[in-house]
Amino acid sequence: MKLDLSPTSWGRVIAVTAAGTAFFIAVAFFVDSFNFPYLSPEAVWRAQMTDLMLPLVLGGSFLFFLMWKIRQLAIAQRDLSVIAATDSLTAVLNRGAFSMLVEAYLEETRKQEQTRSGALLIIDADHFKSINDRLGHDCGDQALKLIAQAIKGQLRGSDIVGRIGGEEFGVFLPGVDPSQSWLVAEGIRRRIREMDFSPGGRACPLSVSIGGTSFSGPTTYEAIFSAADRRLYAAKSNGRDQVSFDPAEATLVSQSSVATVH
């Protein structure tokens, strides 16, 4: 079993405390050893006990307290970094954190010889302004939370989701082909369409338009975002509540579905 020595772990606190205390004891014994030849056996025993107990009690307690405080600071910094990267309303990544993670993945793929594929989806809530106008911003916030939950429910652990606008979400799907990407997008659209959203007992159907693009090979976040955004505009222009995928990459097109490919 591998010992966790991360800054937020108790393993680091215990390991540093134990190693530091052992070092203090060794130094005390080494320094005092020069006096041992001139002491009686009883005095040597008392000196050895002092060399053992004093560093153990004082040094060990000090090191434990110090490492405990350092651990608390590391946990606070970790929590602050999570808060800074998270959208407070929907609990997904905010725009900056989302784009940074996607670009970091794409940059890593550009450095590798092995070609990797993936896709970017832009998901926009349909007629969201009318929800805020008719039902109020509190209901609009509830709708966004439901949409975010529905999106996360369709994704894998390696997928990245963020809120990139007021009612707009981005989803990055690493390592998937166009067919799989389209299925994910359609699954998200259908799941949101089938949700029951009835604030105050009044039914308010939700729907989203989704624009997507896939890639296989070196690319940038700006390039795939622009391509997905054009597809989103097409989905909106053609009536909303549909998926529009990049025709250069998408291969799965069904006449019975609501996906549009131009």
Side-chain angles (χ1 to χ4, degrees):
M1 181 178 178
K2 186 177 180 180
L3 181 63
D4 182 9
L5 296 178
S6 63
T8 60
S9 70
W10 278 109
R12 188 187 185 99
V13 175
I14 295 171
V16 173
T17 301
T21 303
F23 174 77
F24 291 156
I25 293 173
V27 171
F29 267 90
F30 174 76
V31 172
D32 217 13
S33 65
F34 295 101
N35 297 321
F36 291 166
Y38 308 105
L39 301 176
S40 65
E42 183 178 350
V44 169
W45 182 83
R46 287 198 300 268
Q48 289 175 338
M49 291 303 297
T50 301
D51 293 339
L52 175 64
M53 297 306 298
L54 197 61
L56 185 64
V57 174
L58 296 181
S61 299
F62 171 76
L63 278 176
F64 180 82
F65 178 77
L66 178 63
M67 294 306 300
W68 174 55
K69 285 297 184 180
I70 291 175
R71 176 179 178 270
Q72 286 185 319
L73 179 61
I75 292 174
Q77 290 176 330
R78 180 196 64 188
D79 292 344
L80 284 174
S81 65
V82 171
I83 293 172
T86 303
D87 176 63
S88 59
L89 177 64
T90 59
V92 299
L93 294 175
N94 58 33
R95 184 186 183 99
F98 176 79
S99 61
M100 181 180 66
L101 286 178
V102 174
E103 182 55 47
Y105 175 89
L106 295 175
E107 183 177 358
E108 186 64 24
T109 62
R110 291 194 294 269
K111 295 178 181 177
Q112 299 175 356
E113 295 182 359
Q114 182 180 2
T115 300
R116 291 192 180 184
S117 61
L120 177 69
L121 308 177
I122 299 180
I123 303 164
D124 189 85
D126 294 330
H127 305 295
F128 189 75
K129 185 177 183 301
S130 67
I131 296 178
N132 283 332
D133 292 342
R134 290 185 296 109
L135 304 177
H137 288 276
D138 287 342
C139 290
D141 289 346
Q142 293 177 26
L144 289 176
K145 291 179 182 179
L146 286 175
I147 291 172
Q149 292 172 5
I151 293 172
K152 290 190 290 186
Q154 296 293 111
L155 303 181
R156 309 163 300 170
S158 59
D159 299 332
I160 304 172
V161 56
R163 185 182 177 193
I164 57 177
E167 64 270 15
E168 198 169 76
F169 297 85
V171 173
F172 183 68
L173 307 170
V176 297
D177 60 34
S179 298
Q180 293 172 315
S181 305
W182 187 91
L183 289 174
V184 171
E186 177 61 13
I188 291 172
R189 186 205 66 80
R190 185 180 295 114
R191 183 165 182 165
I192 293 172
R193 192 71 179 87
E194 295 172 352
M195 284 193 311
D196 179 23
F197 180 57
S198 303
R202 292 187 294 175
C204 180
L206 298 176
S207 68
V208 294
S209 300
I210 303 177
T213 187
S214 59
F215 67 90
S216 57
T219 187
T220 64
Y221 176 72
E222 290 78 8
I224 59 175
F225 185 89
S226 296
D229 195 48
R230 288 193 295 271
R231 291 295 93 207
L232 175 64
Y233 180 80
K236 291 284 189 181
S237 299
N238 289 322
R240 296 181 170 84
D241 190 20
Q242 57 186 261
V243 176
S244 179
F245 216 87
D246 190 335
E249 300 290 344
T251 57
L252 179 58
V253 182
S254 172
Q255 295 297 328
S256 62
S257 71
V258 293
T260 62
V261 178
H262 302 282

